[in-house]
Amino acid sequence: MTDSIMSKAATMEIPINSNGDTGTLPEDDSLEQDLQQVMVSGPNLNETSIVSGGYGGTAEGIISTSSIKGPAVRYNAEFNKRISVEGIGSNMHHSSSSSSSMTAEEASRGVAVEKIETVKKWGLNTYKCTKQMISERFGRGSRTVDLELEAQIEVLRDTKKKYENVLRLARALTNHFYNMVQTQHALGDTFADLSQKSPELRDEFGYNAETQKLLCKNGETLLGAVNFFVSSINTLVNKTMEDSLMTIKMYEGARLEFDAYRSDLEELSLGPKDAVAMARIDAAQQQYQVQKDKYERLRSDVIIKLKFLEENKVKVMHKQLLLFHNAISAYFAGNQQQLEQTLKQFNIKLRPPGADKPSWLEEQ
């Protein structure tokens, strides 16, 4: 009796009609909220049923949640949809990430392989050139020699050494003469000051002051000519000749590579003539032809540069030696007019006094 009453009381807690619609509870929403929470937290509300009876109750109060169209069911559907969409997006993200990582890995692998091949070729070329150099040095290998071109190269190197010596001496002369001009300038100022303070020797000090000032002026003019001479020699030696020597250095390197591959081809030609050896001979023949073309091209460049260098050297030195001679002769002859005319003849402009000092704007 007691169990029947409790069952009925439990059954009456959630009134359900025959259509599966829940009844209204007077002024109590907690049960509906609990029901919605259970429906949300369940594994699958479409397969879940709600029992209206208590313990030991009959199955009359069992309803299917598919017939409930409340907010909990809509929330569960949206939740399941969001989970599936996020799962698809996550899979697409992982697949795109993996494909991009594979592409980057393949690119880095290709760069590494390319670098390895470059180092391999460089090492093989260095080995062959070193072997050829040692063979030539010990007299066991043959080398390609152009007697006429080699003689011209030796003349150029010897000429460069001599011109470097001329440049060094001309710079020394410029420094010494500059110091002398500065000393004459200071001496002239001292004589002029003493002529004002010594009335009994005013004329003598005045004559010497004027002489030193004139010498100082002529010395500055001569310095302009000598500086122009030094600048031109420096350009000829350290730019024009040096450029030709750089081309000659490249030519000598190409000659060494050419002889190295030539010796390699000759060694392979003396060996067996099977299929593998013939393939190696063909490859060596191609490399030999490449080195031969490079050697001949640089040889032609050296011949042309040596020809133009000789013409340029004669033209430049003819002008500079004439300038140097006329300027030195006019200065020591005391011919100020001829000295100035020499500078005009060679378009040399003297810097005004104090031009080497920075302006007050540059000092800020």
Side-chain angles (χ1 to χ4, degrees):
M1 184 66 179
T2 304
D3 295 336
S4 176
I5 294 173
M6 292 179 64
S7 175
K8 291 180 179 180
T11 304
M12 292 177 65
E13 289 180 358
I14 307 176
I16 302 176
N17 55 22
S18 61
N19 295 327
D21 297 328
T22 59
T24 59
L25 293 177
E27 299 180 355
D28 189 9
D29 297 334
S30 61
L31 186 59
E32 184 179 356
Q33 295 176 358
D34 293 339
L35 179 60
Q36 293 177 0
Q37 183 176 2
V38 171
M39 293 172 70
V40 171
S41 61
N44 191 349
L45 292 177
N46 293 327
E47 298 177 359
T48 305
S49 61
I50 302 174
V51 181
S52 63
Y55 295 101
T58 63
E60 295 177 356
I62 298 177
I63 59 173
S64 174
T65 57
S66 61
S67 63
I68 300 176
K69 303 300 181 180
V73 176
R74 289 196 299 271
Y75 178 82
N76 183 64
E78 292 294 332
F79 180 77
N80 290 335
K81 182 179 181 181
R82 184 179 299 177
I83 291 297
S84 61
V85 170
E86 290 181 355
I88 295 173
S90 177
N91 292 333
M92 292 178 64
H93 176 70
H94 285 302
S95 61
S96 61
S97 300
S98 61
S99 62
S100 61
S101 62
M102 290 178 62
T103 304
E105 183 178 357
E106 291 176 356
S108 60
R109 186 180 301 174
V111 172
V113 171
E114 184 178 356
K115 289 183 178 180
I116 291 174
E117 290 296 327
T118 303
V119 173
K120 182 180 178 181
K121 292 180 180 179
W122 174 83
L124 182 60
N125 185 69
T126 303
Y127 165 75
K128 291 183 178 181
C129 292
T130 304
K131 179 181 177 182
Q132 177 66 24
M133 185 184 301
I134 295 175
S135 299
E136 292 178 1
R137 189 158 297 180
F138 286 95
R140 291 179 297 182
S142 61
R143 55 168 299 188
T144 304
V145 179
D146 189 333
L147 296 178
E148 184 179 357
L149 185 58
E150 293 290 337
Q152 294 179 3
I153 292 173
E154 289 300 321
V155 170
L156 173 60
R157 286 172 174 160
D158 184 64
T159 302
K160 185 173 183 292
K161 291 180 181 179
K162 294 179 179 179
Y163 275 58
E164 286 175 345
N165 189 38
V166 171
L167 180 62
R168 180 181 60 83
L169 294 174
R171 284 174 173 169
L173 176 63
T174 304
N175 293 332
H176 294 317
F177 200 77
Y178 174 80
N179 293 330
M180 187 185 74
V181 170
Q182 296 300 315
T183 303
Q184 288 175 342
H185 189 277
L187 190 59
D189 292 341
T190 303
F191 284 156
D193 183 62
L194 288 173
S195 66
Q196 298 295 329
K197 296 180 180 179
S198 303
E200 65 280 3
L201 296 175
R202 178 178 299 174
D203 296 338
E204 288 78 1
F205 279 125
Y207 296 153
N208 282 277
E210 291 296 329
T211 301
Q212 294 302 319
K213 288 182 179 179
L214 180 60
L215 291 174
C216 182
K217 181 180 179 180
N218 293 340
E220 290 175 352
T221 306
L222 179 61
L223 275 176
V226 176
N227 283 330
F228 186 77
F229 175 81
V230 170
S231 176
S232 300
I233 299 299
N234 179 65
T235 302
L236 178 64
V237 172
N238 294 322
K239 291 186 178 180
T240 309
M241 290 185 178
E242 187 65 27
D243 178 70
S244 299
L245 288 175
M246 288 296 296
T247 306
I248 290 172
K249 186 176 181 180
M250 295 171 59
Y251 158 74
E252 291 176 344
R255 197 276 310 164
L256 182 64
E257 291 180 356
F258 168 68
D259 284 337
Y261 283 92
R262 177 181 56 79
S263 300
D264 188 31
L265 179 60
E266 290 176 355
E267 291 179 1
L268 291 175
S269 300
L270 297 176
K273 298 297 188 295
D274 56 354
V276 177
M278 291 303 296
R280 295 180 61 185
I281 290 175
D282 292 339
Q285 180 69 34
Q286 294 177 0
Q287 294 176 348
Y288 164 78
Q289 189 63 40
V290 170
Q291 297 300 327
K292 181 180 179 181
D293 295 340
K294 180 180 178 182
Y295 164 73
E296 291 179 350
R297 183 180 69 254
L298 287 173
R299 178 178 175 273
S300 177
D301 292 344
V302 170
I303 293 174
I304 294 173
K305 284 200 171 186
L306 288 178
K307 179 181 178 181
F308 283 110
L309 174 62
E310 185 64 24
E311 295 176 356
N312 188 37
K313 182 192 71 172
V314 172
K315 184 185 299 185
V316 169
M317 292 308 300
H318 174 75
K319 178 181 178 180
Q320 296 304 317
L321 291 173
L322 183 62
L323 165 67
F324 191 80
H325 174 267
N326 292 345
I328 292 292
S329 300
Y331 173 80
F332 284 102
N335 193 339
Q336 180 182 359
Q337 183 178 1
Q338 183 180 355
L339 183 60
E340 294 177 353
Q341 185 66 29
T342 300
L343 267 65
K344 291 180 180 179
Q345 179 183 354
F346 292 95
N347 298 321
I348 301 174
K349 295 181 179 180
L350 297 177
R351 294 182 179 180
D356 294 336
K357 296 181 181 179
S359 64
W360 63 273
L361 286 174
E362 296 175 345
E363 292 177 351
Q364 300 299 322

